[in-house]
Amino acid sequence: ESGGLGRRGERGEEVPAERGPGAAFHMFVLMEDLLDKLKLLSYEEEALRRHNMRPLSRHYFALPTNPGEQFFMFCTLAAWLITKAGHPFEQPQEYDDPNAVISNVLSELRSF
């Protein structure tokens, strides 16, 4: 052996490969793509107006600003998308147990 660690750590586990300089901005690109797709589905008229919510900014889910609000928005959009796909799904309430809500969303998605 050459004595250096190379691509492995001290205990032999793999060290993640270095990401390029654009990797830090990948989440912002994904969020902009998500927002474009939601707009094509008329999410502002169909989902947000019904719940009296503001439209998403183009970096809403890319930056952790208010986790509780962001989680509720995610759940609201997930419920709306599941319903839009033809599966009736009850809209979660803001103070529902987060674990139960995610479990219900995942269960419904598995049934697709």
Side-chain angles (χ1 to χ4, degrees):
E1 298 218 343
S2 63
L5 291 176
R7 305 288 294 155
R8 295 193 175 269
E10 290 180 12
R11 296 184 188 151
E13 66 267 5
E14 288 291 324
V15 176
E18 292 206 22
R19 302 182 321 178
F25 300 100
H26 183 68
M27 191 57 61
F28 295 97
V29 173
L30 287 176
M31 181 60 210
E32 287 185 24
D33 287 346
L34 170 67
L35 193 56
D36 287 342
K37 291 173 183 176
L38 287 171
K39 285 181 180 180
L40 288 172
L41 292 171
S42 303
Y43 90 104
E44 291 169 322
E45 293 81 22
E46 295 182 23
L48 298 184
R49 281 201 188 136
R50 182 179 309 153
H51 302 288
N52 198 26
M53 301 172 108
R54 293 177 294 149
L56 301 177
S57 70
R58 61 189 187 124
H59 301 132
Y60 186 77
F61 289 117
L63 298 171
T65 54
N66 184 343
E69 177 187 303
Q70 289 172 312
F71 179 75
F72 182 65
M73 178 63 81
F74 168 78
C75 293
T76 299
L77 291 174
W80 173 71
L81 287 168
I82 290 169
T83 302
K84 192 158 182 76
H87 290 244
F89 191 83
E90 185 176 328
Q91 171 63 42
Q93 300 303 308
E94 191 168 1
Y95 297 106
D96 287 351
D97 176 33
N99 292 321
V101 172
I102 289 298
S103 178
N104 291 341
V105 168
L106 291 174
S107 175
E108 192 63 39
L109 292 176
R110 284 186 194 108
S111 74
F112 275 61

